[in-house]
Amino acid sequence: MARRHSYRPGEASAAGAAVVDRERDGLASGEHAEASDALVTAEAARSRVETIASNPLSGPIVVPARIAVGETGITAHPVVLGASTFGWTLGAEQAFAVLDRFVAVGGSLIDTADSYAAGRSESIIGMWMDSRGARDRVRVMTKIGRHPDIAGLAPAQINAAVDASLMRLGVERLDLVHFHGEDPEVPLEESLGAIDALISAGKVAAIGASDFSPERLIEARVLAANGLPRFQTLTTRYNLMERRPFEGAPELVAHAQGLAVLPYFALANGFLGGQVRRRAEVRHDARGARQARHLGRRGHRVLAALDAVAFAHGVQPATIALAWLLAKPTVAAPVASATKPEQVDALVSAAAVELTRSELVELDRASA
């Protein structure tokens, strides 16, 4: 069983040093391709950060460089803060602290849904933006279709859901709206037609799909070719522990359509953070039950691989798990949640980590 470790950014452990030594030995034996990889990695790492102005006391800070999220018009730092816990396991005060830290370290895109805590998540984000005057500093993407009082994707439900989200968030336009799953009882052209009217009315800027099948995505693209709004993004469950449902037809379709993929549960409900390694450490709640599913031979193998790579980079395992996602060509930005402000740094710093080819291969092998 893997040991639990403490981490300090910028400092590699003995295990990490061993990884580095093995790579150095490989160089000495003539593996010059690794030396080339190291140079490319260093250059890529520099290109993935930028310096922005901060307050007069702290001066400028270095943060992950912004990326374009498909053709949504959103430019954001490439790690999204998930707000599914807001109003559920986190109260407003705790959520405010997480949001404050996220923005302070360069984060700018927040993911929520009208069904998270029956809309409470959106309300908390709206109150935070109002209290901090932060509406122009962040972008919010939400999902509609699963609110207990406004379920489904019929035009009437879409109109009511969008108006309710606008009110809870306290904004005049939603930056990005996802259809929260398919609605087999409503023709997709009717749903897209309703969104088209909302875009024309200035209430919605861009749309995406959440957990849509490849067949439904292809249908949506055909409809878009005939003048209806086009999906720009796809949110789907994807992480080191849950690869098979996405890798295959969904990934191929997303790539072919140029969809910006935003994987949620990017840390497998927190399991990839490495804090739970034994059954005795599992919390007796819904989140704990989901983490417990990953405890086993494969889960420990993945955590061991994350440990080794994390030590080599002097970062947390969660950072490496997100960096692995960011290395995927279809992934624009993973969505990850934090329950405490101090957890946020490990999430945002993933955008500045460039994994080597050998590290990616090792993580792929461990999670296969």
Side-chain angles (χ1 to χ4, degrees):
M1 183 176 294
R3 293 186 296 114
R4 184 177 307 218
H5 306 281
S6 60
Y7 301 81
R8 277 178 258 177
E11 181 177 307
S13 69
V19 173
V20 175
D21 287 343
R22 286 197 297 273
E23 292 182 351
R24 188 180 299 117
D25 291 342
L27 290 174
S29 65
E31 295 182 13
H32 298 296
E34 290 291 338
S36 177
D37 279 351
L39 292 175
V40 171
T41 297
E43 183 60 32
R46 283 192 292 270
S47 69
R48 296 177 70 161
V49 298
E50 63 180 86
T51 301
I52 65 171
S54 182
N55 61 66
L57 294 177
S58 62
I61 60 173
V62 175
V63 299
R66 292 173 179 261
I67 53 101
V69 181
E71 296 179 7
T72 62
I74 296 173
T75 301
H77 295 291
V79 174
V80 184
L81 180 66
S84 61
T85 58
F86 294 0
W88 178 39
T89 57
L90 293 188
E93 184 177 348
Q94 295 167 303
F96 276 29
V98 169
L99 287 164
D100 286 341
R101 185 60 186 168
F102 180 64
V103 172
V105 295
S108 58
L109 182 57
I110 304 165
D111 172 68
T112 185
D114 66 356
S115 60
Y116 292 166
R120 179 66 175 158
S121 174
E122 289 182 330
S123 295
I124 289 174
I125 294 169
M127 290 187 293
W128 174 81
M129 289 192 296
D130 181 61
S131 68
R132 304 299 193 263
R135 185 62 189 90
D136 294 334
R137 294 160 51 199
V138 298
R139 293 291 177 264
V140 179
M141 59 186 197
T142 194
K143 310 177 196 70
I144 59 172
R146 292 185 183 174
H147 190 281
D149 298 328
I150 322 173
L153 296 174
Q157 273 69 31
I158 288 176
N159 288 325
V162 166
D163 284 342
S165 290
L166 288 169
M167 182 178 66
R168 284 190 290 264
L169 289 166
V171 297
E172 296 181 353
R173 184 178 71 167
L174 300 176
D175 298 312
L176 175 59
V177 173
H178 288 99
F179 286 168
H180 205 172
E182 301 175 15
D183 187 343
E185 298 183 2
V186 179
L188 187 54
E189 56 265 36
E190 291 187 14
S191 301
L192 291 173
I195 282 290
D196 191 25
L198 290 168
I199 291 174
S200 297
K203 292 184 176 182
V204 173
I207 62 164
S210 179
D211 292 327
F212 268 44
S213 67
E215 295 77 15
R216 200 69 159 168
L217 290 173
I218 292 171
E219 179 187 355
R221 180 50 59 91
V222 172
L223 294 170
N226 289 310
L228 288 173
R230 175 188 166 201
F231 288 144
Q232 301 292 342
T233 56
L234 172 67
T235 69
T236 184
R237 183 191 295 259
Y238 185 40
N239 55 64
L240 275 165
M241 296 303 302
E242 298 166 294
R243 295 175 55 184
R244 291 182 182 178
F246 176 68
E247 293 179 352
E251 186 176 25
L252 289 173
V253 170
H255 178 72
Q257 295 189 0
L259 296 174
V261 177
L262 307 164
Y264 65 83
F265 288 155
L267 295 177
N269 295 109
F271 175 78
L272 296 173
Q275 300 304 307
V276 174
R277 299 178 187 251
R278 298 188 304 241
R279 297 273 173 191
E281 297 170 337
V282 175
R283 287 167 34 183
H284 298 291
D285 57 18
R287 183 178 175 85
R290 293 168 184 161
Q291 291 177 340
R293 293 202 313 261
H294 303 304
L295 286 172
R297 183 175 299 176
R298 179 169 174 264
H300 288 302
R301 187 170 68 241
V302 170
L303 289 180
L306 284 173
D307 281 344
V309 179
F311 281 127
H313 288 268
V315 297
Q316 300 273 2
T319 304
I320 299 302
L322 298 182
W324 176 83
L325 282 170
L326 284 167
K328 301 298 179 181
T330 57
V331 171
V335 180
S337 301
T339 57
K340 300 176 182 178
E342 53 267 28
Q343 296 172 345
V344 172
D345 295 50
L347 307 183
V348 175
S349 61
V353 173
E354 188 79 14
L355 298 177
T356 66
R357 186 180 308 153
S358 61
E359 289 168 342
L360 290 170
V361 168
E362 181 59 32
L363 291 168
D364 284 340
R365 183 185 297 120
S367 61

